[in-house]
Amino acid sequence: MTNHSETTGSPENGDIPEGAEPGRTNHPSYKDAADEHQVTLRTPAELADALPYLLGYRPEDSIVLAALRDRDGRGRFGGRARLGIPASTDDWAGAAGQLVHGLVTGSERRGVRPEQMVAYLCQEPGPGETGREVMERLRPLAQKLRVECGALDVPVVEALCISAGRFWSYCCDEEACCPSEGLPMGLPGTSVLAAAATYAGIQVRGSLRELRARLLPRESVAAEQATALDRAATTLVSRILDTAGRSDVAEKTLETAERVMRRLAEAPPVSGLPAEDLRDDQLLGHDEAAALILGLQDRTTRDRAAAWMEGDEAAPAMRLWRALARRCVVPYGEHAAAPLTLAGWVAWSAGDELEAREALAMALGADPDYLFARLLHQACNEGLDPESIRRCLREGREGDAGQGGGGSEGDGRADDPVDREPAKPSSGPPPGRRSRSRSLASANGVRRRAGARGQGPSAKIVRPRTPSATDRPGAAGTGLTRSRAAGTQAMGREGACPDGARAGERGGEGCGEHP
């Protein structure tokens, strides 16, 4: 499997009367985030309509599990987990096992073991295919999910397929309520649940495809941007490798970033997200973007930029990191891990866990070994408080200010604080670590070569690699030296979801994605 999985949502988002079976004679109810309003879900149709509100977006090509548990004599929706549907049927068993085990074990760690499960399979028909044919084609996958859940003594009380604007139940074969041709989905925003969710401030943000589009490279500028990146690499790479030059590049990178952020903040507003992104792209020159992308490959520079995560700086910083991710065109897709990780960090710091998980998962798609993204992704999925990281970054920023913005001295020392990856939030002492360097690309274009690795100087920048089928669309992976923390759980594409309550989904998808 090449896709990521994800867990998402809060375990406190729903209420179901004790002993109820969603979609059957009992009356499960959905409770909004403020715990002020309850909406009773009586039928499979209402469960199907509830899915976007459980996740906060409309899933595509996805397996989704929603856990049900008892609390104070009432059933509640617990954790949710999503995984992309593998293209190969040979991977279905592994995907089902990964998702079920990740959600159940993650929920157990939080002390809320699921008692029942609702499963969703969401996929649009291919060319010449009907929604009913999609449902039949995915039936073996639904059965594997039911078997995996049953093996853990968590029965699936409803399994739905949603395709082509209709839904089918795999658990009910009664023509009166679940006809073979399926039932039409209600119009978005017209149900009682939609009204209650809107009143409670719960938003559905469209699809993941639309969210990813804001972070993917723009083909319309690929040629010009690649040329600018080649041109910048011929001068910046060698300077970053030099101790004095590295400090100078870091200061100019941060100055340029601040200048662009001011420009973005002062830009007149436009209507619609696509128009906003186009406006930001037009405000960022190719040479500026190239210098920033290459400058952020230095870990110390990236960490200083990560301090723009709150207050008036957060919004323009987020727009800048998105714009830079869109400029990481082939063959520089691997460099996108830095701006994508910064985008994920700012989103998480601002409370937007959906975009945070997606951006961090895309960063791991660009470079599965990017430690900062892996640690943030794991921390976000496990529902940790980002304040501990914010505190570290504030302290580091104050230290830089007290030293006049310096901080490059001793960058080559393993014990130098500025040469460390940001600490993972933890109540215990930091684990030991060892570092591994990737070679810096030559200054004549920094073109990627598959498999080219070696021991590099302290600047810790990698050369790009040829994009592969497992990379994020339109990109390959990023590059700087990564330190591996001993005992730190890997959060790569195939990791197991930590938990259903908060875990997120991925660009390739999450629990394993792990949003």
Side-chain angles (χ1 to χ4, degrees), residues 11 17 62 97 146 220 225-226 242 248 267 297 326 359 414 418 432 441 450 488 490 501 512:
S62 298
R146 298 174 72 179
S220 59
Q225 190 61 61
D242 177 72
D248 182 58
Q297 303 310 302
R326 294 192 293 266
V418 300
T488 298

Side-chain angles (χ1 to χ4, degrees), residues 250 253-254 257-258 261 295-296 298-311 313-315 317-318 320-321 324 337-350 360 370 372-373 376 386-398 400 420-423:
T253 298
L254 295 171
E258 289 179 319
M261 286 166 55
L296 289 172
D298 175 60
R299 186 169 61 201
T300 304
T301 306
R302 178 209 64 197
D303 289 352
R304 291 172 64 185
W308 300 325
M309 76 292 188
E310 57 190 347
E313 295 173 329
M318 186 68 182
L320 175 58
W321 307 144
L324 292 179
L340 285 170
T341 301
L342 289 169
W345 160 237
V346 174
W348 183 34
S349 180
L360 293 171
Y370 202 68
F372 192 23
L376 288 176
E387 177 57 25
S388 58
I389 305 177
R390 284 196 293 260
R391 190 181 308 116
C392 291
L393 291 171
R394 291 188 201 107
E395 292 171 355
R397 190 172 188 176
E398 291 169 1
D400 285 345
R420 296 175 184 166
E421 289 288 350

Side-chain angles (χ1 to χ4, degrees), residues 139-410:
R139 186 182 291 276
L141 177 55
Q143 182 60 25
K144 293 180 188 299
L145 289 169
R146 298 174 72 179
V147 169
E148 291 288 344
C149 288
L152 296 179
D153 295 324
V154 183
V156 175
V157 296
E158 184 59 275
L160 300 175
C161 177
I162 300 174
S163 180
R166 305 181 77 85
F167 72 90
W168 291 260
S169 171
Y170 291 113
C171 297
C172 178
D173 55 5
E174 298 179 13
E175 278 290 321
C177 64
C178 298
S180 58
E181 67 272 15
L183 291 171
M185 297 284 293
L187 293 176
T190 60
S191 66
V192 174
L193 176 58
T198 301
Y199 182 79
I202 299 173
Q203 297 181 350
V204 176
R205 299 181 54 184
S207 68
L208 285 183
R209 181 178 302 152
E210 295 167 341
L211 184 59
R212 291 174 196 148
R214 306 192 71 189
L215 301 169
L216 289 173
R218 296 293 168 87
E219 295 300 322
S220 59
V221 299
E224 296 98 323
Q225 190 61 61
T227 300
L229 284 161
D230 285 346
R231 186 166 54 244
T234 60
T235 58
L236 292 181
V237 170
S238 58
R239 294 176 62 197
I240 292 174
L241 288 177
D242 177 72
T243 301
R246 180 184 179 192
S247 178
D248 182 58
V249 171
E251 293 305 320
K252 289 186 177 179
T253 298
L254 295 171
E255 289 172 4
T256 301
E258 289 179 319
R259 183 174 64 251
V260 175
M261 286 166 55
R262 287 193 296 270
R263 190 185 308 157
L264 295 174
E266 294 167 358
V270 295
S271 177
L273 297 182
E276 289 178 5
D277 291 343
L278 179 60
R279 173 204 57 198
D280 292 348
D281 289 340
Q282 292 172 342
L283 292 172
L284 180 62
H286 295 306
D287 290 331
E288 282 181 321
L292 288 170
I293 290 168
L294 291 172
L296 289 172
Q297 303 310 302
D298 175 60
R299 186 169 61 201
T300 304
T301 306
R302 178 209 64 197
D303 289 352
R304 291 172 64 185
W308 300 325
M309 76 292 188
E310 57 190 347
D312 294 338
E313 295 173 329
M318 186 68 182
R319 289 164 59 186
L320 175 58
W321 307 144
R322 287 196 198 108
L324 292 179
R326 294 192 293 266
R327 297 298 184 93
C328 291
V329 298
V330 175
Y332 291 88
E334 193 175 49
H335 288 63
L340 285 170
T341 301
L342 289 169
W345 160 237
V346 174
W348 183 34
S349 180
D352 187 349
E353 294 186 4
L354 174 59
E355 184 163 5
R357 294 186 187 103
E358 190 63 20
L360 293 171
M362 291 176 71
L364 292 173
D367 185 350
D369 295 327
Y370 202 68
L371 184 59
F372 192 23
R374 293 172 68 185
L375 295 180
L376 288 176
H377 195 219
Q378 181 174 354
C380 182
N381 280 347
E382 292 183 351
L384 300 184
D385 187 351
E387 177 57 25
S388 58
I389 305 177
R390 284 196 293 260
R391 190 181 308 116
C392 291
L393 291 171
R394 291 188 201 107
E395 292 171 355
R397 190 172 188 176
E398 291 169 1
D400 285 345
Q403 297 173 15
S408 63
E409 292 184 7

